[in-house]
Amino acid sequence: GENVEQHPSTLSVQEGDSAVIKCTYSDSASNYFPWYKQELGKRPQLIIDIRSNVGEKKDQRIAVTLNKTAKHFSLHITETQPEDSAVYFCAASWTNAGKSTFGDGTTLTVKP
Amino acid sequence: DAGVIQSPRHEVTEMGQEVTLRCKPISGHDYLFWYRQTMMRGLELLIYFNNNVPIDDSGMPEDRFSAKMPNASFSTLKIQPSEPRDSAVYFCASSLHPNTEAFFGQGTRLTVV
């Protein structure tokens, strides 16, 4: 089955700096890669996703890049703010899988 | 739509008791997922349904866990008998299709003492 590895497990940045979280996946059939943000005590919520026919996607301060050849994808957050502090999960799935395989999560702390 | 609705929000029970967690998915969503989240093991998929049919229950830890989806608007996750190591936050999520956004419920925080 699919295996998703996520790094780093914790990340601390100063407000205004950029943050990058990386994930690798094992199943070359995977073609959907969502990112979820989970604030303390809250539910995970989708912040951005990318499909395999696209190499990069951007939404304001967040962007995701995908390298299908290397089987890795990354989340980039620019101009970080304290409210970006949360746990971020990457995931991977393929069309007929029905389910996504999640990474172990990255705890991002943005220091004011 | 009110989103995915789970009940109860919190549950405290004694070891050996039966626990039933409930979930109402978003109307029209064909997929329903049950996850367990702990500090040690992260977010684990326990089981998921497509059109009310269980598709993959390989994540269910042991026979003490069972899940049902009697209709498109309701699912239950039952633990019998419960054990302290079952203490976790249990999330239900639903999605319209495979490879689309999963919408999570608020979760049920289960504590088994």
Side-chain angles (χ1 to χ4, degrees):
Chain A
E2 176 66 278
N3 182 48
V4 176
E5 294 190 358
Q6 184 171 347
H7 300 280
S9 57
T10 60
L11 179 60
S12 181
V13 300
Q14 286 295 133
E15 182 177 0
D17 288 351
S18 295
V20 180
I21 303 170
K22 299 180 179 181
C23 289
T24 60
Y25 61 98
S26 61
D27 191 341
S28 56
S30 288
N31 56 8
Y32 177 61
F33 307 93
W35 286 89
Y36 291 84
K37 175 184 180 182
Q38 186 179 25
E39 297 177 355
L40 189 63
K42 301 289 183 64
R43 74 188 89 185
Q45 291 187 288
L46 183 80
I47 55 171
I48 195 167
D49 57 11
I50 192 168
R51 299 188 183 275
S52 59
N53 58 344
V54 175
E56 182 175 358
K57 185 176 178 181
K58 194 171 182 180
D59 183 4
Q60 299 182 334
R61 295 186 299 107
I62 60 173
V64 57
T65 58
L66 171 65
N67 183 327
K68 282 213 72 180
T69 303
K71 289 191 278 191
H72 68 70
F73 56 111
S74 300
L75 177 71
H76 305 254
I77 306 174
T78 59
E79 301 172 27
T80 54
Q81 301 168 4
E83 51 265 40
D84 294 329
S85 296
V87 179
Y88 291 81
F89 293 94
C90 65
S93 67
W94 59 280
T95 304
N96 294 326
K99 63 179 182 180
S100 291
T101 300
F102 281 79
D104 289 338
T106 296
T107 300
L108 173 65
T109 302
V110 179
K111 298 178 182 177
Chain B
D1 201 313
V4 176
I5 300 172
Q6 290 185 246
S7 64
R9 292 290 309 279
H10 302 274
E11 177 81 32
V12 180
T13 190
E14 290 185 347
M15 183 173 63
Q17 297 297 306
E18 177 180 296
V19 176
T20 299
L21 311 181
R22 297 173 175 80
C23 175
K24 176 177 167 45
I26 293 173
S27 177
H29 280 195
D30 290 339
Y31 288 81
L32 183 138
F33 309 86
W34 281 101
Y35 290 92
R36 178 172 69 177
Q37 187 173 38
T38 61
M39 289 293 292
M40 292 297 294
R41 301 176 69 89
L43 197 60
E44 303 174 89
L45 177 65
L46 301 178
I47 185 171
Y48 80 96
F49 296 82
N50 178 21
N51 291 323
N52 314 338
V53 176
I55 302 300
D56 184 350
D57 65 354
S58 59
M60 297 285 262
E62 25 189 300
D63 292 345
R64 298 184 297 106
F65 286 69
S66 62
K68 294 182 179 179
M69 191 165 185
N71 57 64
S73 59
F74 184 65
S75 177
T76 60
L77 178 67
K78 187 176 292 186
I79 308 172
Q80 165 65 17
S82 57
E83 297 182 4
R85 59 194 169 118
D86 302 330
S87 297
V89 179
Y90 290 81
F91 285 103
C92 174
S94 70
S95 68
L96 189 58
H97 299 302
N99 279 16
T100 58
E101 177 180 2
F103 292 83
F104 285 77
Q106 299 261 38
T108 295
R109 180 173 297 277
L110 173 65
T111 303
V112 183
V113 298

